[in-house]
């Protein structure tokens, strides 16, 4: 709540943002380039801390946690998907996804078994031994989504997940995100694309580091607050 972020050099990326994400939501954070969306995602995802203001994730006040505790919180609760996939080039789909459990205290055999299951879930079980350069953009993004899901996070944060894809592959990725949301995962999509945002149940519009419009949670149940910032 009241989150601000000022980068060195005096860039005011966030100017006092109040946002509550309700468990089970599917929402878009939408706005032009430079409006503070990625900064907001980094703060919601506890990859960065606000300059002032408070952030609560799954009931924890981020300000009171050490970096190690924040890493543990992220590993337990949050999955990340990026525009450019961030897959390891020399490793096949199973290994890329299994790496999502590297810090979860799970042995290699089980990591790989769960990676196969996650890849099946995103319907890419026919590409298990393909390396990223042997996959299309849409397939790469599905592998990246499987990696984000393997730890069974409650919250999935996707930064321009369709930004590097043609529109047909982008639609498939959005459908997949909807499906995951319907199965219970809270999904937050960052986009500069109003068409994508308008297709999602809640839109939070950013401009110049501020929320200028918020269509509000689709469900009125704010008793199960998951993320506040
Ligand atoms: P968006 O994701 O909407 O494009 P960002 O959150 O990336 O916006 O950026 C918001 C503002 O903060 C921009 O003016 C950007 O140049 C600035 N900014 C982002 N990251 C940094 C950083 N690490 N250091 C300095 N300024 C930054």
């Amino acid at each position: 709540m009241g989150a601000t972020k000022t980068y060195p050099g005096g860039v005011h990326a966030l100017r006092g943002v109040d946002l509550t994400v309700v468990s089970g939501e599917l929402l878009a954070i939408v706005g032009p380039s430079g409006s503070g969306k990625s900064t907001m995602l980094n703060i919601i995802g506890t990859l960065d801390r606000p300059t002032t203001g408070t952030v609560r994730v799954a009931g924890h006040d981020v300000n009171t946690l050490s970096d190690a505790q924040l890493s543990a919180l992220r590993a337990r609760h949050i999955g990340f998907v990026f525009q450019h996939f961030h897959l390891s080039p020399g490793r096949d789909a199973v290994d890329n996804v299994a790496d999502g459990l590297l810090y979860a205290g799970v042995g290699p055999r089980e990591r790989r078994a769960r990676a196969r299951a996650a890849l099946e879930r995103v319907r890419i079980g026919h590409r298990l031994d393909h390396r990223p350069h042997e996959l299309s953009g849409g397939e790469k993004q599905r592998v990246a989504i499987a990696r984000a899901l393997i730890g069974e996070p409650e919250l999935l944060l996707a930064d321009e997940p369709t930004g590097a894809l043609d529109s047909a592959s982008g639609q498939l990725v959005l459908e997949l995100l909807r499906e995951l949301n319907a199965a219970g995962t809270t999904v937050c999509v960052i986009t500069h694309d109003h068409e994508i945002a308008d297709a999602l149940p809640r839109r939070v519009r950013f401009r110049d580091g501020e929320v200028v419009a918020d269509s509000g949670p689709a469900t009125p149940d704010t008793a199960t607050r998951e993320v506040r910032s």
Side-chain angles (χ1 to χ4, degrees):
M1 288 292 171
T4 72
K5 180 74 186 180
T6 305
Y7 288 113
V11 178
H12 299 292
L14 297 179
R15 297 168 182 270
V17 171
D18 294 335
L19 175 66
T20 300
V21 177
V22 178
S23 183
E25 272 198 282
L26 170 58
L27 77 154
I29 292 181
V30 61
S33 178
S35 59
K37 305 183 299 297
S38 298
T39 301
M40 190 67 204
L41 178 123
N42 288 342
I43 286 176
I44 296 174
T46 77
L47 293 169
D48 203 357
R49 297 170 190 265
T51 308
T52 60
T54 58
V55 179
R56 297 183 69 81
V57 176
H60 301 276
D61 180 347
V62 165
N63 283 337
T64 66
L65 301 181
S66 66
D67 286 347
Q69 287 170 320
L70 279 186
S71 300
L73 180 76
R74 268 196 303 279
R76 242 195 335 273
H77 296 284
I78 307 176
F80 294 89
V81 174
F82 302 98
Q83 177 173 3
H84 296 294
F85 326 119
H86 292 200
L87 299 174
S88 304
R91 296 162 65 70
D92 69 17
V94 171
D95 283 336
N96 262 291
V97 174
D99 282 354
L101 286 175
L102 264 184
Y103 307 105
V106 178
R109 185 190 291 257
E110 161 137 18
R111 281 206 298 271
R112 289 179 59 83
R114 283 173 61 180
R116 283 189 211 96
L119 285 159
E120 298 286 349
R121 186 169 176 206
V122 301
R123 292 189 294 277
I124 192 122
H126 56 301
R127 294 281 189 269
L128 296 179
D129 58 357
H130 284 231
R131 286 174 290 168
H133 72 274
E134 299 165 325
L135 297 168
S136 72
E139 289 172 337
K140 279 189 260 217
Q141 197 57 298
R142 282 191 273 159
V143 172
I145 291 171
R147 180 188 51 197
L149 286 179
I150 193 172
E152 296 177 6
E154 291 135 49
L155 174 64
L156 189 66
L157 297 175
D159 194 353
E160 301 277 3
T162 64
L165 305 180
D166 62 76
S167 63
S169 310
Q171 283 307 319
L172 284 176
V173 162
L174 277 182
E175 260 170 50
L176 181 59
L177 294 176
R178 278 179 195 288
E179 251 176 57
L180 300 172
N181 175 251
T185 309
T186 308
V187 178
C188 177
V189 176
I190 287 210
T191 182
H192 66 277
D193 184 334
H194 285 268
E195 225 172 283
I196 289 173
D198 289 345
L200 300 182
R202 178 181 180 190
R203 279 108 21 225
V204 180
R205 294 189 195 279
F206 271 65
R207 196 180 306 138
D208 296 334
E210 286 177 314
V211 173
V212 291
D214 181 354
S215 65
T219 52
D221 173 21
T222 49
T224 50
R225 281 177 185 178
E226 182 175 285
V227 179
R228 302 167 97 220
S229 67

